Amino acid sequence: MNKKKILSLVAFLPLLFAANAQQNLTSPNGNLVMTFQVDAQGAPVYELSYKGHPVILPSTLGLELKKEDDTRTDFDWVDRRDLSKVDSKVNLYNGFELKEVQTSEFDETWRPVWGEEKEIRNHYNEMAVTLYQPMNERSILIRFRLFDDGLGFRYEFPQQPSLNYFVIKEEHSQFAMAGDHIAFWIPGDYDTQEYDYTISRLSEIRGLMKQAITPNSSQTPFSATGVQTALMMKTDDGLYINLHEAALIDYSCMHLNLDDKNMVFESWLTPDAKGDKGYMQSPCRSPWRTIIVSDDARDILASRITLNLNEPCKIADAETWVKPVKYIGVWWDMITGKGSWAYTDELTGVKLGMTDYSVTKPNGKHSANTANVKRYIDFAAAHGFDAVLVEGWNEGWEDWFGNSKDYVFDFQTPYPDFDVEELHRYASEKGVKIMMHHETSASARNYERHMDKAYQFMVDHGYNSVKSGYVGNIIPRGEHHYGQWMNDHYLYAVKKAAEYKIMVNAHEATRPTGICRTYPNLIGNESARGTEYESFGGNKVYHTTILPFTRLVGGPMDYTPGIFETHCNRMNPANNSQVRSTIARQLALYVTMYSPLQMAADIPENYERFMDAFQFIKDVAIDWDETKYLEAEPGEYITIARKAKGTNDWYVGCTAGEGGHDSVLKCNFLEPGKQYIATVYADAPDADWQNNPQAYTIKKGILTNKSKLKMHAANGGGYAISIKEVKDKSEVRGLKRL
């Protein structure tokens, strides 16, 4: 690891001189310029440009605090002595003076435990601005970090008598746009991210919001122009702008609310059950607000700002037990409605420890039974998969949803037809791990009640990873999925899991913000509309061409690709949904949808029908030394090449939206002077996601770094290529150059 830190300038500015002084900060390569000043009202104001093009017009920063109790000052209800300041103390947005400016340069190269590349450079210029508010005798610090690919800023609250404990009413961080940009957005919502993306002008969001809000198990939209981060935009002059946040810790998740008359976004925090948006005690700080910008869409995908703004790994021995996982699962047959999570259909209610399942009649479709799981273990062992996920193994699924049930699962008691000990023995003999499933039914209090025993149960039975879920309305009742309380819970679960050397894949949790750098046992999240929605009516064709620009900016996604039988009625005659993808694109997603946790989501029988295509899923790596973003346009196509960890082998994937995509791939990322054998999995000429999704071709040939490949992706299609270094000349006998 190479690391250097340079303090290039420390400036102490006299208050009178600095009242309206403009401060400039430039990115290391000079393309981005940020200016900061305190305006005539004492409000902090920043703006940002890229190569002379405006990105953020002058935008104000600050917070509004909740009004303090105007009587109580301590346990004895002593009358306040500062009644005259109660109203003014809510103001943390103007009336400031510029007290101090510190600038510095930082440059390091660090190695993630797992990732898209083996080394990440963290290089930025920083400006730390200390602001003093005379009327309330308090200070805050706004820290800006300007990278070559974007800006991060956060609020810091030093410990001080006049700002000790405080409650946030709203954060007022503005992002003023320079035009009516094209946006790739989902509705702002306190409880779900599982919406299809809409592509529109900013000015069109209000008119499209109603149809964009589709039903979900828990949802709380808040505004006709509210949208979620990461928000992707494209300007008319060819800039790509991405707004998100990093290091969301002990704070409420940020949405964006648009003033569509002036094209100004403002931060909008998720409230708690009382309507408050953050309980703080100094010293403390907000998450980073991030603005990624480039005139090349590929740079947005390549940005590592979100990771770089998080703290280094806090798990000392993480590399010894946090390992990427390729898995299959007892899952898709339940998602399609062929099987069930519940053991019996006779119970209308379950009371844990009291309900006797031995006297109930099995429904005959419970998927998590010992014999069925053994079948999946056999398949995993035969094809080199690390683990088998099993959902619906534990008592309580008969009344788990929609009842606001607190004591819903104990995460330790299996159904009568699920033999924990036997499956542990059987899987161990086969060299396969079973992946635990902890659906909480959004009862976070109940999960914390059982967490230590549940994790110990996992350790005792050979489970080293868990998929957790938070479906439904949160308990404690009134809390939201993305509020401060739940964000603290999600991190608590990850930290607690680390004590037991367990990896966590959290579904329905807050969208990632790079915390996986600090706690790499957070190996995956869902936190967006994934493959399961292909069985619930389908995702839009362009969905997977947008997610890497939005959801994946914060971290990897457990997207669960690999569905080969795209007509769900082949699984369940009552389900007429169709996966909006060709088989070739399903293969490509293992490359384009980055995750160190990759599921082959279909059932074994469907893979056995297409074993030649399944070979790519078996071969493709899940950890990488290098990533090249070859082509990218949000909503249309993404093509990515990745070099497998510790090898000279590469894998390429392309996902395309409606209308498909034609590529001319230059293979100059390959090492000069070497030969490679490429296996190309492509859409057949007549392939189409709707009319001919299972039409694909496979061809094999020789590549060098001078090769060019003409490739075609169909409507909703794609292609995947495995490229393996030739180590023995006999390997290429009979093969032609592609």
Side-chain angles (χ1 to χ4, degrees), residues 377 381 422-434:
I377 293 171
E422 170 61 14
L423 287 169
H424 178 206
R425 182 199 65 79
Y426 192 81
S428 298
E429 284 184 354
K430 299 277 185 172
V432 174
K433 292 282 188 181
I434 300 179

Side-chain angles (χ1 to χ4, degrees), residues 230 242 244 290 292 300 303 306-307 512 547-555:
N242 185 283
H244 192 35
T290 61
I292 307 171
I300 307 298
S303 175
T306 313
L307 289 174
L547 283 175
F549 288 100
T550 53
R551 162 64 183 79
L552 270 69
V553 168

Side-chain angles (χ1 to χ4, degrees), residues 15-16 18-19 38 42-43 94-100 129-134 138 140:
L15 293 180
L16 292 175
V38 177
N94 63 26
F96 288 106
E97 296 174 349
L98 187 58
K99 182 179 179 181
E100 180 182 319
V129 180
T130 299
L131 303 174
Y132 179 69
Q133 193 180 51
R138 61 192 179 190
I140 64 169

Side-chain angles (χ1 to χ4, degrees), residues 558-598:
D558 185 26
Y559 189 72
T560 59
I563 304 300
F564 282 12
E565 179 48 75
T566 61
H567 291 88
C568 295
N569 57 16
R570 306 279 173 83
M571 296 283 293
N572 173 13
N575 186 344
N576 290 315
S577 297
Q578 183 179 351
V579 181
R580 297 176 183 180
S581 170
T582 65
I583 284 183
R585 181 165 82 167
Q586 287 296 298
L587 301 180
L589 297 178
Y590 289 91
V591 181
T592 63
M593 292 292 295
Y594 170 67
S595 180
L597 180 74
Q598 287 285 16

Side-chain angles (χ1 to χ4, degrees), residues 59 174-177 257-260 262-266:
S59 300
Q174 291 188 346
F175 307 85
M177 299 293 102
N257 201 36
L258 177 65
D259 172 356
D260 51 359
N262 298 299
M263 299 303 162
V264 177
F265 285 108
E266 186 168 287

Side-chain angles (χ1 to χ4, degrees), residues 39-167:
D39 70 11
Q41 287 72 48
V45 179
Y46 79 105
E47 58 186 303
L48 183 68
S49 65
Y50 175 83
K51 295 181 180 179
H53 295 267
V55 177
I56 304 293
L57 298 178
S59 300
T60 58
L61 300 173
L63 297 96
E64 182 181 359
L65 307 185
K66 184 179 181 180
K67 186 176 178 180
E68 298 175 2
D69 192 300
D70 62 2
T71 56
R72 183 183 178 188
T73 61
D74 61 22
F75 187 75
D76 295 321
W77 291 84
V78 175
D79 290 339
R80 297 190 69 120
R81 298 176 182 176
D82 59 348
L83 279 173
S84 62
K85 289 191 173 183
V86 169
D87 289 330
S88 70
K89 288 174 72 173
V90 305
N91 180 344
L92 210 58
Y93 48 84
N94 63 26
F96 288 106
E97 296 174 349
L98 187 58
K99 182 179 179 181
E100 180 182 319
V101 177
Q102 296 184 352
T103 61
S104 60
E105 179 188 358
F106 186 80
D107 193 356
E108 71 170 355
T109 299
W110 59 279
R111 292 197 169 195
V113 175
W114 44 259
E116 296 179 76
E117 51 269 304
K118 64 180 178 182
E119 292 185 339
I120 295 174
R121 189 180 185 189
N122 184 15
H123 187 198
Y124 59 82
N125 291 330
E126 178 175 288
M127 178 190 295
V129 180
T130 299
L131 303 174
Y132 179 69
Q133 193 180 51
M135 64 182 176
N136 292 311
E137 300 178 319
R138 61 192 179 190
S139 298
I140 64 169
L141 185 148
I142 304 177
R143 191 178 303 276
F144 299 93
R145 290 181 180 171
L146 194 56
F147 304 78
D148 287 341
D149 48 348
L151 173 68
F153 66 86
R154 74 180 180 195
Y155 304 95
E156 299 180 11
F157 309 97
Q159 190 169 33
Q160 54 199 298
S162 55
L163 194 65
N164 189 5
Y165 295 91
F166 59 98
V167 180

Side-chain angles (χ1 to χ4, degrees), residues 538-549:
N539 296 325
K540 290 180 180 177
V541 179
Y542 55 59
H543 189 59
T544 56
T545 72
I546 295 176
L547 283 175
F549 288 100

